[in-house]
């Protein structure tokens, strides 16, 4: 599974903000797994993210100022599409994902003819999720997400996604920061895209977003309704 | 009282500023009208504090000063809220612009390499 042959039109999009320390390893990991089209969206980083990513062999596109993870994913997705992508994968640049999960997720998209495959860290026992996240933050987020989008997901805050080209043209991320995690399921529902979850590993070495991050997301969604 | 004179002078300045901004094209006619009305009313309230009594009576609030505070608070909430929505819209505009630049730059680089 680790040596996909016909993957010339499969693009990996990595949003990165000040990830110089980790992005190089992530990119090399992807190349080692046979993925060749890697787009890094350097979101106005103040460190050497762009140089490191370029040296590692990725195609780097740079935002002149920090616009947020959602904005970066939209930019990277559009570039991939302009370059002829048939499948687009969203992948974190901080080393929390496992590159060996991609092949299976892409295979699932293709064999089941899905539009979207969403990564979930709750479908197998590999991810050692911190206690607060597992018992409170993510269940609450899951519930809110279901109320807001009508899509029942086991993992609502997971940056691992596989999009068919068709899905990438329908889905348009307007939420520049983190609320795209709610916006994308909402659009999947709205456009009746065929979707499934797929077990992925998430490796923890730092807390990530906490309660404050969750509240910011809700606030962004609220403001988003006034556009 | 001195405070009344100062406040009214301040309101006059505000009105001049509104007119300037209207002439400069920053304000729509409607917005300019509403702002001028607002400052004129504020001037009336400051010059004739008793006038608020009628307002308070109309709203069913005991004292004129209380009525002004309530209305001012509601107005502020409304303004702040509108400001936030507008900032949000501005932020999205910036994103669109930054994205456009980034894509143009990247695609130019790619075609140069070919
Ligand atoms: N483009 C962009 N990427 C970001 C930003 N903040 C975080 N990221 C990237 O998004 C990925 C995941 O970020 P992280 O903060 O770990 O979020 P979490 O793992 O979803 O809680 C990493 O690749 C980060 O570099 C940002 O402001 N802009
Ligand atoms: Mg992370």
């Amino acid at each position: 599974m680790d040596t996909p042959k016909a993957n010339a039109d499969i693009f990996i999009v990595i949003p990165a903000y000040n990830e110089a320390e980790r992005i190089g390893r992530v990119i090399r990991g992807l190349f080692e797994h046979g993925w060749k089209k890697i787009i890094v969206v350097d979101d106005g980083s103040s460190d050497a993210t762009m140089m490191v990513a370029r040296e590692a062999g990725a195609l780097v596109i740079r935002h002149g100022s920090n616009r947020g993870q959602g904005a970066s994913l939209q930019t990277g997705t559009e570039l991939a599409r302009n370059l002829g992508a048939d499948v687009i994968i969203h992948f974190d640049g901080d080393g929390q994902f496992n590159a060996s999960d991609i092949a299976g997720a892409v295979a699932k998209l293709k064999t089941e003819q899905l539009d979207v495959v969403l990564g979930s860290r709750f479908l197998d026992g590999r991810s050692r999720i911190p206690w607060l996240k597992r018992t409170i933050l993510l269940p609450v987020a899951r519930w809110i997400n279901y109320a807001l989008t009508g899509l029942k997901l086991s993992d609502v805050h997971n940056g691992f996604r596989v999009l068919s080209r068709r899905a990438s043209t329908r889905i348009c991320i307007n939420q520049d920061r983190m609320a795209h995690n709610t916006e994308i399921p909402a659009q999947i529902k709205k456009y009746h895209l065929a979707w499934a979850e797929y077990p992925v590993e998430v490796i923890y070495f730092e807390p990530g977003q906490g309660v404050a991050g969750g509240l910011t997301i809700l606030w962004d969604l609220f403001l988003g309704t006034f556009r | 009282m001195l405070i009344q004179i100062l406040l009214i002078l301040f309101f006059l300045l505000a009105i001049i500023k509104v007119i300037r901004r209207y002439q400069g094209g920053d304000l729509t006619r409607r917005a300019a009208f509403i702002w001028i009305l607002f400052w004129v009313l504020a001037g009336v309230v400051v010059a004739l504090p008793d006038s608020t009594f009628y307002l308070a009576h109309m709203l069913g609030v005991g004292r004129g000063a209380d009525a002004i505070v309530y209305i001012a608070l509601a107005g502020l909430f409304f303004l702040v809220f509108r400001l936030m929505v507008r900032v949000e819209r501005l932020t999205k505009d910036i994103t669109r612009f930054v994205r456009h630049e980034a894509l143009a730059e990247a695609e130019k680089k790619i075609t140069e390499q070919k």
Side-chain angles (χ1 to χ4, degrees):
Chain A
M1 250 190 7
D2 273 352
T3 49
K5 278 163 244 135
N7 55 8
D9 49 7
I10 297 179
F11 281 68
I12 319 257
V13 171
I14 307 177
Y17 181 57
N18 290 343
E19 292 287 7
E21 304 269 317
R22 299 179 283 196
I23 192 90
R25 206 164 54 90
V26 173
I27 295 167
R28 282 189 293 277
L30 289 166
F31 278 125
E32 278 162 22
H33 283 84
W35 305 106
K36 298 190 180 67
K37 302 291 174 69
I38 301 173
I39 293 176
V40 168
V41 186
D42 173 15
D43 196 17
S45 298
S46 52
D47 68 0
T49 296
M50 179 159 84
M51 257 175 44
V52 174
R54 209 164 257 164
E55 261 161 35
L59 171 62
V60 181
I61 177 167
R62 180 172 161 88
H63 278 174
S65 84
N66 182 243
R67 305 318 304 154
Q69 197 195 61
S72 302
L73 285 170
Q74 181 62 28
T75 301
T77 302
E78 284 182 24
L79 179 61
R81 213 167 47 226
N82 294 349
L83 296 176
D86 185 43
V87 175
I88 296 166
I89 294 143
H90 294 170
F91 200 80
D92 279 0
D94 56 1
Q96 281 191 281
F97 287 146
N98 186 338
S100 64
D101 283 331
I102 298 175
V106 172
K108 187 178 179 76
L109 183 96
K110 294 204 159 162
T111 55
E112 298 180 19
Q113 300 194 338
L114 300 169
D115 297 306
V116 187
V117 171
L118 301 167
S120 169
R121 66 199 114 165
F122 294 102
L123 298 180
D124 63 18
R126 283 182 296 160
S127 306
R128 307 185 63 84
I129 303 156
W131 178 84
L132 185 67
K133 261 197 156 85
R134 192 185 63 231
T135 58
I136 299 176
L137 292 184
L138 288 167
V140 169
R142 189 182 307 155
W143 185 82
I144 292 174
N145 215 74
Y146 178 56
L148 290 177
T149 68
L151 217 60
K152 221 163 202 157
L153 300 178
S154 67
D155 191 354
V156 295
H157 193 102
N158 195 308
F160 187 108
R161 298 180 196 91
V162 183
L163 309 179
S164 68
R165 184 180 178 86
R166 188 174 98 91
S168 82
T169 57
R170 298 317 301 272
I171 292 173
C172 179
I173 302 174
N174 293 306
Q175 289 288 351
D176 288 349
R177 292 174 289 264
M178 290 296 180
H180 62 280
N181 283 301
T182 303
E183 193 182 22
I184 291 174
Q187 295 191 8
I188 290 175
K189 176 102 181 167
K190 182 172 162 195
Y191 298 125
H192 308 290
L193 301 175
W195 65 282
E197 288 192 311
Y198 183 81
V200 299
E201 182 180 12
V202 176
I203 304 152
Y204 288 91
F205 30 73
E206 62 179 53
Q209 303 178 75
V211 179
L215 292 178
T216 312
I217 291 171
L218 281 180
W219 179 242
D220 283 351
L221 288 171
F222 174 66
L223 279 183
T225 59
F226 292 95
R227 273 186 322 112
Chain B
M1 276 189 295
L2 184 60
I3 181 77
Q4 284 176 308
I5 296 169
L6 285 179
L7 277 175
I8 287 173
L9 273 179
F10 172 76
F11 295 161
L12 279 176
L13 276 178
I15 288 175
I16 292 172
K17 203 154 175 195
V18 170
I19 293 171
R20 287 255 168 83
R21 283 184 54 203
Y22 170 64
Q23 286 170 340
D26 295 333
L27 282 179
T28 62
R29 180 189 295 253
R30 198 175 66 111
F33 177 75
I34 290 172
W35 274 113
I36 290 174
L37 192 72
F38 175 78
W39 292 120
V40 168
L41 282 179
V44 170
V45 166
V46 168
L48 310 165
D50 289 342
S51 64
T52 60
F53 174 79
Y54 298 102
L55 188 68
H57 195 72
M58 240 161 45
L59 294 173
V61 183
R63 287 188 319 166
D66 286 352
I68 290 297
V69 170
Y70 292 151
I71 291 172
L73 212 59
L76 272 179
F77 265 116
F78 174 73
L79 274 186
V80 168
F81 185 71
R82 229 181 47 164
L83 217 62
M84 270 174 357
V85 170
R86 196 162 286 180
V87 167
E88 186 66 14
R89 199 172 300 154
L90 214 65
T91 311
K92 301 233 148 109
D93 283 348
I94 297 175
T95 296
R96 262 215 321 264
F97 187 72
V98 167
R99 175 172 300 136
H100 187 82
E101 287 279 287
L103 284 170
E105 178 86 5
E107 277 159 17
K108 199 180 92 193
K109 200 162 264 167
I110 290 165
T111 45
E112 274 169 7
Q113 277 169 1
K114 273 178 188 164

